[in-house]
Amino acid sequence: LGFTALPIERPGFQAVTAFSEEVYLAVPPGHRLASRTSVKLREAADEPFIGYKESFPYQRMNESFLREAGISPTFVCRVDEPSAISKLVRAGLGVALIGGCNRSDSFPLPTLTIESPVCRRHFRIVWDERRYLSLAARRFRDFIAEYFSGKETEAGGLETHANFPHVTPPST
């Protein structure tokens, strides 16, 4: 049993989306876009970007959103901590794509809804359907689904999708 934001496309693995989060464009206070509530990602094409290190899964997802928007941004800084991205954007070094879970009232930063392309991260629970999934694992999986149901408005655009099939043990 595992939890991932990346798609798992392997034979024998079952994946169910537990929840999704919207991805926003974060801009520094006072930025030319800061007073807006939404933006087409293409409008940020000429902005300096701050992102995760190239090998990070979230960066690969963010780069796919950027490609879909038809832009090849210049990254001025790549980091490995979400809080570092927010701090660098707040300092005015560039703009960044951040997930709804990273939005916080304690560290206000202008975040704009991205009108196009659709930018969402899907978090999945995965398991090998060829292996027995214990009662404890099934209960944990179901707990995750229940926990995230109703979290939509609390964490900035979370959308719950969990609808888990019953997994039966293989015959011996």
Side-chain angles (χ1 to χ4, degrees), residues 25-26 41 44-56 58-67 71-80 85 88-89 93-98 121:
L25 180 69
L41 194 51
D46 296 327
E47 299 289 336
F49 269 77
I50 297 162
Y52 291 104
K53 291 182 179 176
E54 287 134 341
S55 62
F56 277 44
Y58 289 141
Q59 185 60 31
R60 289 187 296 215
M61 285 186 274
N62 289 347
E63 287 175 3
S64 72
F65 300 143
L66 295 165
R67 274 191 306 278
I71 61 177
S72 298
T74 301
F75 283 91
V76 294
C77 189
R78 292 186 183 263
V79 298
D80 55 10
I85 290 176
L88 292 168
V89 170
L93 296 178
V95 302
L97 297 177
I98 65 166
R121 293 182 186 142

Side-chain angles (χ1 to χ4, degrees), residues 80-152:
D80 55 10
E81 289 289 326
S83 62
I85 290 176
S86 296
K87 289 175 185 173
L88 292 168
V89 170
R90 183 139 180 87
L93 296 178
V95 302
L97 297 177
I98 65 166
C101 293
N102 291 338
R103 295 172 66 195
S104 168
D105 291 335
S106 63
F107 198 78
L109 190 62
T111 53
L112 290 71
T113 300
I114 299 171
E115 296 171 9
S116 69
V118 173
C119 298
R120 294 193 75 76
R121 293 182 186 142
H122 303 282
F123 294 85
R124 298 165 179 86
I125 295 177
V126 297
W127 64 93
D128 186 337
E129 64 187 359
R130 299 165 298 187
R131 295 183 174 249
Y132 172 70
L133 196 59
S134 71
L135 177 61
R138 290 192 313 264
R139 285 188 175 163
F140 176 71
R141 178 193 63 190
D142 295 343
F143 169 79
I144 294 295
E146 185 177 327
Y147 177 81
F148 284 109
S149 67
K151 295 283 183 186
E152 251 178 76

